[in-house]
Amino acid sequence: MAQNLTAALSLEQLLSSAEDALRNGLFAAAESVCADILAKQPDNARALYIRGACLVRQAKRRTGLRDLEKAAKLAPCDPAILLELCRGLLADGAPAEAEKRLREAVGQFDRNPEILRDCAELFMRLGHHGEAIPMLDRALFANPADAATFNMRGY
């Protein structure tokens, strides 16, 4: 039945359903959809990103990081991929590499408040509060409603 469903949906619909599954914690479902896509399109950056994120969150970090690294090479300007790669590297105990990648991401996306907020959160996790605060200021100035959300996380 899953194969019939994947045949009937467009690639964009499949990727959207996989992202929804990832957001809802349905990692096996998202991973399965991405595996089907990658069987046909092994260089699909978005499918690699989603599958990599699922694998990292299921503690299959090495395999997930390989997918995220490949996705980052295929789509070097995609902030979601770079930030997920940084999160995966942190989870895998590689803070120096995560910080290096994060600094690259900040340089590319410093005008996007949502990306700045996510970068600031990762800098906080790395212990670089002094660098995170100006990013938060820029992000929160752009959208004051985000201030309450970020403060609720306990920073």
Side-chain angles (χ1 to χ4, degrees):
M1 171 138 165
Q3 287 179 334
N4 292 339
L5 181 62
T6 55
L9 296 174
S10 72
L11 176 63
E12 204 49 46
Q13 289 170 320
L14 287 170
L15 288 167
S16 290
S17 72
E19 282 181 329
D20 288 343
L22 172 62
R23 270 192 298 277
N24 291 314
L26 304 171
F27 304 128
E31 189 180 341
S32 175
V33 170
C34 290
D36 290 345
I37 293 168
L38 291 167
K40 296 173 188 137
Q41 296 181 3
D43 288 338
N44 186 304
R46 199 163 149 208
L48 285 163
Y49 150 68
I50 296 166
R51 186 175 74 178
C54 289
L55 291 168
V56 167
R57 291 174 191 181
Q58 294 177 85
K60 300 174 187 172
R61 292 188 185 105
R62 297 288 175 185
T63 307
L65 285 171
R66 276 195 298 271
D67 279 356
L68 290 168
E69 288 281 1
K70 186 173 179 181
K73 285 180 184 156
L74 293 167
C77 293
D78 187 320
I81 292 171
L82 291 174
L83 290 170
E84 194 63 42
L85 177 58
C86 291
R87 286 184 189 100
L89 289 166
L90 272 174
D92 196 44
E97 183 64 19
E99 182 176 347
K100 176 184 160 210
R101 298 296 185 100
L102 185 56
R103 290 187 187 286
E104 292 169 7
V106 169
Q108 289 180 3
F109 310 114
D110 67 347
R111 297 196 185 275
N112 183 321
E114 185 176 314
I115 302 304
L116 280 173
R117 186 191 66 225
D118 289 346
C119 288
E121 180 180 355
L122 287 169
F123 271 116
M124 293 278 216
R125 288 175 57 192
L126 284 164
H128 299 297
H129 298 90
E131 292 178 65
I133 290 169
M135 281 181 234
L136 285 175
D137 286 343
R138 289 198 318 261
L140 296 176
F141 181 73
N143 187 0
D146 285 341
T149 303
F150 199 84
N151 286 334
M152 288 176 63
R153 294 183 184 169
Y155 295 112

